[in-house]
Amino acid sequence: MSDTELPELPELPRGIALAWGVAADPQRGPKREMSVEKIVAAAVELADAEGLGAVSMAAVAAKLGFTPMSLYRYVTAKDDLLLLMQEEATGLPPDEHREQEGWQAKLRALFDAQVQHYLAHPWILSLPITGSPITPNSSAWLDAGLTALAETPLNESERLAVALAVTGEARWYGQVSAGYTEQARSSGLSQAEVAARESALFDQVITADEYPSLRRAIDAGVFTAEDDPFRFAMERIFDGVDAYIAGLDRGEPHAVEQDWIDVEDADVAGDKKVREARKAVREAEKALRAARKNERVVLRDARQRVEGARARG
């Protein structure tokens, strides 16, 4: 390749090309009222009403009054449909975040809005994360987070790290909240009643001998408290970033965190001998936990016998 010759760019996958509106138009048949937009809207309605498991090419086609084959003229694979559904349900960031003063207020508004999106479309949380957002709406959310930090002394990598922290906390918040909402819907209980039932179940099985810290938390009523642990965590992240920014303003150097967690190669993790060795480790750990539990029971009984003998003596 010559000095002036540019490397060939990879072709956009069809789902991403459809999201950006740059995919080749399908060869339209007689049913010209069909469109990618209508297919995606129908699929989102199905997922919102019945969950992601209800979405299939056949189900979407039936909802629109067409045959599955007619859909494949527009969306050639279900994975592409799922990508477009996620893009549609994600929407654009609310304009209100731009009206906030300061990076924290802007990010807080984006955090709240993302959580609400997950609660409105909880099936999004079932979709796997396959890489960085490359679709327009997902890119707009990331761009909004970076823009909120544009006036800070953070460098570009640090701004991305903070934006990802906000997105990740919002996703986790949405996942747990959506789970409680679904439990409340299916059981007929209020969310407060679901939390109380969960606390009661923990109360039955968590002992101070085996799980001392968790037992103290249960006794303190953490599972029925009105405190919002996710917002607390988000605010503490903001506090840490604010302190870091203050250090940069004082002339302190940017932190350098280059050691990524060592992610194991998929071929290694899938090796039969590796799987067997790890299974043996899990079984040994299980046996060790059982032995330690038995030890605690024996010690407790021994103490009770000693105390009883002392009381009688």
Side-chain angles (χ1 to χ4, degrees):
M1 182 166 49
S2 67
D3 293 339
T4 58
E5 186 178 352
L6 296 176
E8 184 178 351
L9 294 176
E11 182 180 354
L12 284 175
R14 179 163 175 79
I16 294 175
L18 284 168
W20 285 98
V22 295
D25 290 333
Q27 295 179 352
R28 295 181 179 271
K31 299 180 175 63
R32 296 179 180 273
E33 63 272 25
M34 178 79 81
S35 68
V36 172
E37 292 75 17
K38 288 182 179 179
I39 293 170
V40 173
V44 169
E45 286 182 14
L46 271 174
D48 286 346
E50 304 177 41
L52 196 61
V55 177
S56 66
M57 299 298 270
V60 175
K63 185 174 178 64
L64 292 169
F66 298 120
T67 64
M69 286 306 300
S70 62
L71 266 64
Y72 284 105
R73 292 176 176 271
Y74 300 83
V75 182
T76 56
K78 186 179 178 181
D79 284 348
D80 291 343
L81 177 60
L82 293 175
L83 176 70
L84 295 171
M85 289 170 60
Q86 182 177 13
E87 173 73 358
E88 174 69 17
T90 296
L92 291 170
D95 290 335
E96 289 77 12
H97 82 276
R98 299 187 182 89
E99 302 167 4
Q100 305 300 317
E101 292 292 332
W103 66 267
Q104 291 192 43
K106 287 181 170 64
L107 288 181
R108 195 175 291 114
L110 289 171
F111 173 78
D112 291 348
Q114 286 179 77
V115 172
Q116 292 303 323
H117 272 291
Y118 288 133
L119 293 178
H121 309 286
W123 51 267
I124 294 177
L125 298 163
S126 300
L127 297 174
I129 297 174
T130 57
S132 300
I134 305 178
T135 53
N137 291 346
S138 295
S139 297
W141 281 91
L142 186 54
D143 183 75
L146 295 174
T147 301
L149 295 158
E151 300 303 318
T152 71
L154 298 175
N155 61 35
E156 295 298 339
S157 293
E158 292 165 345
R159 291 170 191 168
L160 178 63
V162 175
L164 291 177
V166 173
T167 299
E169 187 68 12
R171 185 179 181 90
W172 177 227
Y173 193 163
Q175 187 166 358
V176 174
S177 297
Y180 275 94
T181 299
E182 175 57 25
Q183 279 289 317
R185 185 195 64 78
S186 61
S187 66
L189 302 174
S190 67
Q191 290 199 32
E193 290 170 332
V194 170
R197 184 178 66 177
E198 181 181 68
S199 181
L201 292 173
F202 268 116
D203 193 49
Q204 292 182 48
V205 297
I206 300 300
T207 65
D209 287 340
E210 293 183 83
Y211 309 97
S213 296
L214 181 54
R215 183 68 252 181
R216 285 195 299 272
I218 294 168
D219 292 340
V222 294
F223 289 103
T224 55
E226 294 184 358
D227 304 335
D228 187 335
F230 300 99
R231 191 172 297 280
F232 175 87
M234 192 72 262
E235 292 298 330
R236 300 298 72 76
I237 290 173
F238 287 163
D239 289 346
V241 174
D242 193 44
Y244 180 74
I245 288 174
L248 294 178
D249 288 337
R250 292 192 299 269
E252 296 177 8
H254 291 269
V256 179
E257 303 288 350
Q258 294 182 335
D259 294 332
W260 286 67
I261 295 175
D262 186 17
V263 179
E264 194 169 72
D265 186 275
D267 290 335
V268 172
D271 183 85
K272 182 178 179 181
K273 290 186 177 180
V274 171
R275 293 201 309 269
E276 290 174 349
R278 288 179 173 165
K279 180 180 179 181
V281 169
R282 289 195 301 271
E283 291 173 348
E285 290 173 341
K286 183 178 179 181
L288 179 60
R289 287 195 298 271
R292 285 176 172 168
K293 181 177 180 180
N294 183 63
E295 179 189 31
R296 288 190 291 268
V297 171
V298 171
L299 285 171
R300 183 185 60 201
D301 292 344
R303 292 190 188 103
Q304 289 174 350
R305 288 195 302 272
V306 170
E307 291 170 0
R310 287 172 178 170
R312 290 191 299 270

